[in-house]
Amino acid sequence: MLLTIDCGNTNTVFSIWDGTAFLATWRTSTEWQRTADQYYVWLSTLMEFQKLDVEITDVIISSTVPRVVFNLRVLCDRYFNCRPYVVGKADCMLPAPPRVDEGTQIGPDRLVNTAGAYDRCGGDLIVVDFGTATTFDVVDTDGAYVGGVIAPGVNLSLEALHSAAAALPHVDITKPQAVVGTNTVACMQSGVFWGYVGLVREICARIKAERARDMRVISTGGLAPLFQQTEKLFDDFQDDLTMHGLTVIHRFNKENN
């Protein structure tokens, strides 16, 4: 049984894959201080609660927080008796190597999203991921990552407004009832919501124009459905794209090692 781990700046997601479907998915906050023993107690308790009597034989990790990887490696060695694949490391091959400037460090999550999107949707894609940052990943015809765009995340923008301006409250992102707000909260929500609708539309349009071709836009991340409510920004929404991409990369390595 395969354990896929996606460690982001805010949350870490664990999923168990049986070869055809995900049996369970759990989310926890990302904390680099968390030990391998703490991970195992948390994970085994959840597995027991859901009556999952499975043996983890393989693990693959994607992490944008390098300090977390060490304890995850210890978890795999101590409790699952296996050496994990870590996306971005030399011993973890990709189905299609990225084509970017030499020496560029690419976020593992972007490589994983590229692999997952190409496997499901083919090439010529723009993958928009609403995470801590809002990222745009360009997938070529052969499935290679060829660059992209990084913008501040939606919640990060709201938090910056709240932190930098003493008079502005903390608000949750939601679709406003009108563009013109008649109170402070409505004004902030309108600015962020319609601002990001415009950001996504404009960046995708410019990517397509620069590459002189039509491209499908795939979204992922928890806030993607919210922005899809009003205008058709995306051609498809993939809720589990990152976890699926991990299974694709794991399968590729197993078949080619």
Side-chain angles (χ1 to χ4, degrees):
M1 206 71 69
L2 172 65
L3 175 64
T4 61
I5 304 175
D6 172 37
C7 177
N9 291 298
T10 305
N11 293 316
T12 300
V13 182
F14 292 72
S15 290
I16 295 179
W17 173 256
D18 70 355
T20 58
F22 288 108
L23 301 182
T25 297
W26 303 289
R27 186 181 300 267
T28 185
S29 58
T30 298
E31 297 177 4
W32 67 266
Q33 303 97 329
R34 187 169 292 162
T35 67
D37 301 328
Q38 288 174 315
Y39 277 120
Y40 181 73
V41 169
W42 174 80
L43 189 60
S44 59
T45 300
L46 288 171
M47 291 173 64
E48 182 179 352
F49 178 76
Q50 293 191 218
K51 297 180 171 57
L52 281 177
D53 186 16
V54 297
E55 180 183 359
I56 303 298
T57 57
D58 294 87
V59 180
I60 183 167
I61 301 168
S62 168
S63 178
T64 58
V65 186
R67 299 178 75 179
V68 172
V69 175
F70 174 77
N71 283 326
L72 290 175
R73 284 186 180 274
V74 174
L75 168 73
C76 298
D77 178 63
R78 182 177 298 168
Y79 292 104
F80 303 135
N81 194 31
C82 71
R83 179 182 176 85
Y85 289 108
V86 179
V87 178
K89 299 300 183 183
D91 59 350
C92 183
M93 298 181 293
L94 298 172
R99 293 191 289 274
V100 293
D101 295 342
E102 186 176 352
T104 299
Q105 294 292 321
I106 307 168
D109 54 330
R110 309 184 76 177
L111 298 174
V112 171
N113 283 347
T114 295
Y118 181 73
D119 183 69
R120 284 182 170 172
C121 306
D124 275 337
L125 305 174
I126 302 171
V127 181
V128 185
D129 188 353
F130 290 87
T132 303
T134 301
T135 58
F136 299 73
D137 303 325
V138 179
V139 185
D140 212 344
T141 53
D142 62 350
Y145 171 86
V146 292
V149 176
I150 301 175
V154 178
N155 288 316
L156 194 63
S157 295
L158 280 170
E159 188 61 35
L161 273 176
H162 170 62
S163 300
L168 296 181
H170 177 80
V171 300
D172 294 325
I173 179 64
T174 186
K175 177 187 172 184
Q177 294 181 346
V179 176
V180 179
T182 54
N183 58 69
T184 302
V185 170
C187 289
M188 293 173 66
Q189 289 175 333
S190 182
V192 172
F193 181 85
W194 292 112
Y196 272 85
V197 167
L199 180 144
V200 171
R201 181 187 292 113
E202 183 68 14
I203 288 179
C204 288
R206 287 184 176 272
I207 291 173
K208 292 176 184 179
E210 187 170 278
R211 294 181 63 78
R213 66 186 74 176
D214 189 33
M215 305 176 73
R216 295 185 68 198
V217 181
I218 312 299
S219 68
T220 190
L223 290 176
L226 171 66
F227 288 97
Q228 186 75 342
Q229 287 181 14
T230 302
E231 314 222 355
K232 186 171 174 57
L233 294 175
F234 317 114
D235 297 300
D236 193 12
F237 168 64
Q238 298 282 339
D239 182 40
D240 62 345
L241 184 62
T242 305
M243 307 314 284
H244 175 69
L246 285 170
T247 70
V248 171
I249 295 174
H250 177 265
R251 183 177 68 239
F252 180 80
N253 279 269
K254 282 293 188 180
E255 292 174 351
N256 291 276
N257 272 334

